[in-house]
């Protein structure tokens, strides 16, 4: 039985990395991705393509972009809907404009050669199934070898297209604008700032609402690889600020970390989303070991789709701090059966014996008062799982926990693989999760989205998120069922703990 995740996107075969061209069109979610269909390591980059109605069940479509005949590879980029036909691409052979404006998808991507990277566009005349590369590509050529990952969006206030794109090894994000997606003018630059690492990649810029207010701020996301302060590998940071269509002005120089786990990189938000939700997906891996993790048919996966917002948190009695909030999107969709049914319906944590068995995917939310842990003298809240039933004595397991003494969340997958070891993979990831106040009580809040090979932890109602992949070796990976050991304060069960059944 396979370790293929069910709630997380994976390619049918070959190697995948970044999500590309995320866009909603005619009620469907389109997902493109960096894909090597012919090998199990990065290289030979194509744009793979899939569509979904609910962001969790995906149908694979034919390759959207093949490498150029001259060897140019299809590197990361984005997609927009050119509703008003600003590009002039959307005329039929009689010169008429097809009426379905929401199907006018334009892809903006990097063509990579060893000594040069340029920005290019392609468009679809069949509503997003096949793509035609623009005859006058490239649209931007700065004669640079490290210039990639264009993310384009429509800036309503200035009525222009805006592109953020990385001058990777200059640690700058260049901002361009255009009225027709073909001719671009550079208007400003951001950086160097924050975590530099060896290079900047995959920028994204979008406006987010601040929870419980009418206010908004702009967020600039910049991926960095290698150079993560967490583990030295790949990391995604963000800056909060203002954007006037020309310049991004950060509120401070603080680099904030998007996801505190080991497996989150090159995230991107969807464009053209109905009701202006901001939804993001990231690549759930790390360049430090992405090409090495054990794999048979395919390698790589994406995180689940997350809805983003900002939250104002008290920093001290005088000051507030804004933080990015992420929540798994459309969890209602998770309630419906996906593929094969599983025998056990999870109802409530209170009914779980400490060791329980269930399908490998669920979404569990628990809010635990710190006082309960104290009165029960509990050191940890922890969930440990393995593929064999004696979880606590299993040689291979993953443990996810919260240490009450110092408020640290940890994920330990160090025993996961015996045949393959990478120190960065094996090291415990640890990060603090400050308690929150609910009804005058100090609480720790955790949402755990569990799937085959990947677990996402949403701390403090999405205020701090951790994504880690995991993998048990083949001998123990015979069944899709996993066994779980859960240790919670007794009192927590009465406060608020529930499981969203998936099957
Ligand atoms: C990020 C990245 C991008 C590049 C792509 C190539 O993971 O290195 O900068 O466009 O992957 O696959």
């Amino acid at each position: 039985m396979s370790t293929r995740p069910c709630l997380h996107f994976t390619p049918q075969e070959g190697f995948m990395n970044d999500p590309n061209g995320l866009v909603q069109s005619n009620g469907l979610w389109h997902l493109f991705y960096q894909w090597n269909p012919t090998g199990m390591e990065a290289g030979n980059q194509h744009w793979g393509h899939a569509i979904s109605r609910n962001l969790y069940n995906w149908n694979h479509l034919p390759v959207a972009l093949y490498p150029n005949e001259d060897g140019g590879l299809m590197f990361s980029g984005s997609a927009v809907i050119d509703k008003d036909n600003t590009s002039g691409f959307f005329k039929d052979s009689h010169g008429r404009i097809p009426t379905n404006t929401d199907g006018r998808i334009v892809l903006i991507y990097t063509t990579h050669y060893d000594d040069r990277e340029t920005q290019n566009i392609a468009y679809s005349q069949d509503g997003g199934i096949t793509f035609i590369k623009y005859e006058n590509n490239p649209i931007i050529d700065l004669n640079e070898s490290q210039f990639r990952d264009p993310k384009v969006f429509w800036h309503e206030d200035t009525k222009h297209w805006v592109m953020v794109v990385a001058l990777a090894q200059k640690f700058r994000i260049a901002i361009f604008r255009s009225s027709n997606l073909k001719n671009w003018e550079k208007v400003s630059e951001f950086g160097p700032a924050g975590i530099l690492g060896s290079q900047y990649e995959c920028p994204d810029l979008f406006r987010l609402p601040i929870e419980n207010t009418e206010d908004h701020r702009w967020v600039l996301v910049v991926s960095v690889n290698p150079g993560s302060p967490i583990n030295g590998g790949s990391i995604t940071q963000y800056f909060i600020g203002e954007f006037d269509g020309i310049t991004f002005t950060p509120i401070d120089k603080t680099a904030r970390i998007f996801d505190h786990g080991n497996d989150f990189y090159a995230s991107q938000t969807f464009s053209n989303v109905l009701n202006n939700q901001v939804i993001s997906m990231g690549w759930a891996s790390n360049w430090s070991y992405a090409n090495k993790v054990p794999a048979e048919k395919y390698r790589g996966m994406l995180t689940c789709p997350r809805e983003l917002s900002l939250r104002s948190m008290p920093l001290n009695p005088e000051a507030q701090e804004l933080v990015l909030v992420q929540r798994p999107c459309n969890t209602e969709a998770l309630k419906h059966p996906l593929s094969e049914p599983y025998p056990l319906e999870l109802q409530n944590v209170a009914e779980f014996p400490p060791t329980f068995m269930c399908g490998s995917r669920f979404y569990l939310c628990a809010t635990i008062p710190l006082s309960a842990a104290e009165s029960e003298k509990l050191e940890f809240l922890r969930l440990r799982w393995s593929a064999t039933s004696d979880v606590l004595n299993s040689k291979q397991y993953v443990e996810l926990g919260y240490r009450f003494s110092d408020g640290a969340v940890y994920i330990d997958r160090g025993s996961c693989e015996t045949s393959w070891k990478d120190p960065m993979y094996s090291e415990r990831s640890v990060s603090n999760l400050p308690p929150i106040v609910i009804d005058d009580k100090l609480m720790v809040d955790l949402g755990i989205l569990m799937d085959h090979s990947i677990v996402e932890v949403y701390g403090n109602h999405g205020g701090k998120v951790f994504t880690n992949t995991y993998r048990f070796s083949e001998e123990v990976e015979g069944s899709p069922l996993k066994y779980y050991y859960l240790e919670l304060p007794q009192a927590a069960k009465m406060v608020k703990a529930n499981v969203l059944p998936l099957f």
Side-chain angles (χ1 to χ4, degrees), residues 17-18 20 34 42-43 45 74-77 110 117 148-149 199-202 223 225 265-266 283 287:
N17 52 296
D18 314 353
N20 294 154
Q34 285 290 284
Q45 299 309 87
M74 302 293 101
F75 270 25
S76 285
T110 297
E117 291 183 331
R148 58 181 174 274
D149 310 335
Q199 55 194 339
Y200 275 5
E201 297 185 317
C202 299
S223 288
N225 176 65
Y265 196 64
W283 175 43
W287 278 119

Side-chain angles (χ1 to χ4, degrees), residues 277-290:
Q277 277 176 300
V278 183
I279 298 173
S280 164
M281 290 172 91
W283 175 43
S285 191
N286 193 309
W287 278 119
S288 305
Y289 46 72

Side-chain angles (χ1 to χ4, degrees), residues 89-100:
F89 285 143
F90 300 101
K91 296 198 167 90
D92 67 15
S93 52
H94 306 287
R96 292 182 306 241
I97 300 173
T99 49
N100 179 356

Side-chain angles (χ1 to χ4, degrees), residues 128-148:
I129 307 294
T130 58
F131 292 85
I132 303 161
K133 290 177 184 170
Y134 175 43
E135 61 198 19
N136 293 328
N137 275 336
I139 48 156
I140 311 179
D141 181 356
L142 301 182
N143 202 16
E144 288 273 352
S145 65
Q146 301 291 331
F147 175 46
R148 58 181 174 274

Side-chain angles (χ1 to χ4, degrees), residues 422-443:
D422 179 290
M424 204 175 286
Y425 185 91
S426 314
E427 236 164 61
R428 215 177 223 232
S429 48
V430 185
S431 187
N432 80 314
L433 183 69
I436 47 176
V437 181
I438 305 177
D439 299 335
D440 289 334
K441 286 198 187 123
L442 279 175
M443 303 270 191

